Amino acid sequence: MGKKIAIEPVTRIEGHARVTIHVDDDGKVENAYLHIDQFRGFEKFSEGRMYYEMPQITPRICGICPVSHHLGSAKACDAVSGIEPPRTASLLRELMHMGQTIQSHAMHFFHLAGPDLLFSFDADPKIRNVIGIVQVNPTLATKAVMLRKFGQEIIKTLGGKKIHPVFAVAGGVNNVLTEEERDTILKDMDEHIAFIQQGIEIAKRWVRDNMETVETFAVFPTGYMGLVKEDGALELYEGKIRLIGPEGEPWELFDPSDYLEYIGEHVEDWSYLKFPFYKKLGYPDGVYRVGPLGRLNVADKISTPLANEEFKNFKAINEGKPVEGSLWYHYARLIETLYAMERVKELLDDPDILSNDIRAYGGELQSEGVGCVEAPRGTLLHHYKVDEGGKLLKVNLIIATGHNNWAMSKSVDDVAKQYVDGNNLTEGMLNRVEVAIRAYDPCLSCSTHALGKMPIILEMYDKDGNLLDQITRDSKE
Amino acid sequence: MSHTIVIGYGNFHRQDDGVGHYIVQEVERQAGESIDTVCCHQLGIEQSETIKDYDIVIFADAYVGHREEDLKVASLEATFTQSAFTHHLKPDSLLALTQNIFQKTPKAYIVSVKGYDFDFGTDLSTRTQKWADIAVKKILELSGISK
């Protein structure tokens, strides 16, 4: 009779964010922490499964960016199976990846971050939401819905469904793109590009109007990491990992399969989420940031024309050196959205994308394999070790949000010290702490919505550890 | 007859959380093409563009909590509730979004069935399946297919 493994506590399966703020006798903030109270156990319970099941198992880690796990996993399976996918399969996978990037970034900017930018950090929460945006700018809201839908439809066209698609397999993909489907995707392309550019103007206007905040809100030096093409251009699907330091100085350029040589993971006793760092500098000197800000900081250029023009403006912010302010993530995210949209067009214009040559066979099983993609939130690594029959012996996953763990907690600490008054905790203070976390678009959300809840709890303690005050934001607010 | 769509949502691979999917499959089987259906993991803003074209929208979902009844059928009002990070919407928030963006407010119901087992797997618990079958009958009544 088989054994049944229970993972407890089940209420934490989708992740909770908890912020604790510790104040002294005068109510002044001494320290603040972002705690990720989640334990999923995917790495452990995948052991013993066949490696080729992973592209279907690992997307369950997340209901928001399952495509990233699906593709990262498939690339690891390519390596394990010793098979190079045909060019068409790589084009189709990248197309799905661009759909994921577009829908995720659009959702974040217009739905989650937009209310903070279009209203103010202190605005009444009753209007500081997506409905508030609809009411002040219905056209913008409608286009945002359609942009998100556009990305989702690409995923659905290729993978059969918008969330947890079934598409990539070891050595390729299992579905071709038809000419009709290609033309449908291409139909409203120019309109979507114009809308993204409109979003970029909104972000830039907000920055101009709030420059003092942008220059002081969670601004600190770190390293930065992201995939780049051979010529140093921004890359989201293939390429090498580039690590740079706070001044832009090169740290490393390496193949993702060598990540263990360069990336270590530190553990703190107040969070389940590990803290990755650059091994040669140790922790915390070697902490770095990923995601849109990290990627644009490491890139030399962008390969598509419109996004590259905007990228030049981004690079001018700090005269070519890395941009440090956490709020710049929003601007970087939109530039990437523009790139992803332009890249969709490039991919669809490639005649090979309609080919039926979508899967290769016959490789020699390897003992391990690493897959890497740039998920919307940053570099995602899947690493599998297998026995001679292909059964998984060890699984290591470093997720995008994990890379940013130190930076998110640092942002919370900085913002709490800057804005929180320990004698009078207000909603506006809570929102500023949220804004700092939200800039990174952390993926702590739920794939099991009935169980998963995503509250943020802000707790304030005195120096003896006594709870002084608490604000809980949940879906009822 | 009113133009109806049934949206079943939840995680099909977490047993009773997939009751919305089961209900949609049963509605498809019993009502054929007279009712449109969608299965999804969670509700998102883009679905406002879908539901705006219907007279009746019925959301089918699992319920977990302390409520005593196993099946709850309730009409929904368009009311937006914001959460801090979540990318999915509650059905009343989706309705509110649809109302605000497209000036359309379909008549809406939530049909929620209490879940008992959310372990890994695709089978419903016996009790949830029993009430899911009753939920299907209620949905067919709401959409005017049966009385």
Side-chain angles (χ1 to χ4, degrees), chain B residues 1 5 16-18 27 29 41 48 68 81 93 108 113 120 124-125 129 138:
Chain B
M1 194 173 73
I5 185 168
D16 288 349
D17 196 32
V27 168
R29 194 176 64 80
H41 229 74
S48 58
E68 287 194 1
T81 50
S93 294
V113 181
F120 297 104
L124 299 179
S125 65
Q129 170 137 8
K138 293 279 185 191

Side-chain angles (χ1 to χ4, degrees), chain A residues 181-206:
Chain A
E181 288 167 340
R182 179 196 63 185
D183 294 345
T184 300
I185 297 171
L186 281 170
K187 196 159 68 71
D188 299 321
M189 186 74 61
D190 292 343
E191 196 179 326
H192 289 309
I193 286 176
F195 174 61
I196 296 166
Q197 290 176 312
Q198 191 183 344
I200 288 172
E201 289 310 310
I202 289 170
K204 286 160 77 172
R205 190 164 59 239
W206 183 85

Side-chain angles (χ1 to χ4, degrees), chain A residues 20 22 86 92 105 162 182 196 198 217 241 278 307 311 330-331 356 368 427 443 467 477:
Chain A
T20 58
H22 300 261
L92 289 170
H105 280 3
K162 296 172 184 174
R182 179 196 63 185
I196 296 166
Q198 191 183 344
F217 190 97
I241 293 176
Y278 173 40
F311 177 76
H330 300 301
Y331 179 41
N356 291 329
E368 59 185 298
E427 199 282 335
C443 192
L467 183 65
E477 287 188 30

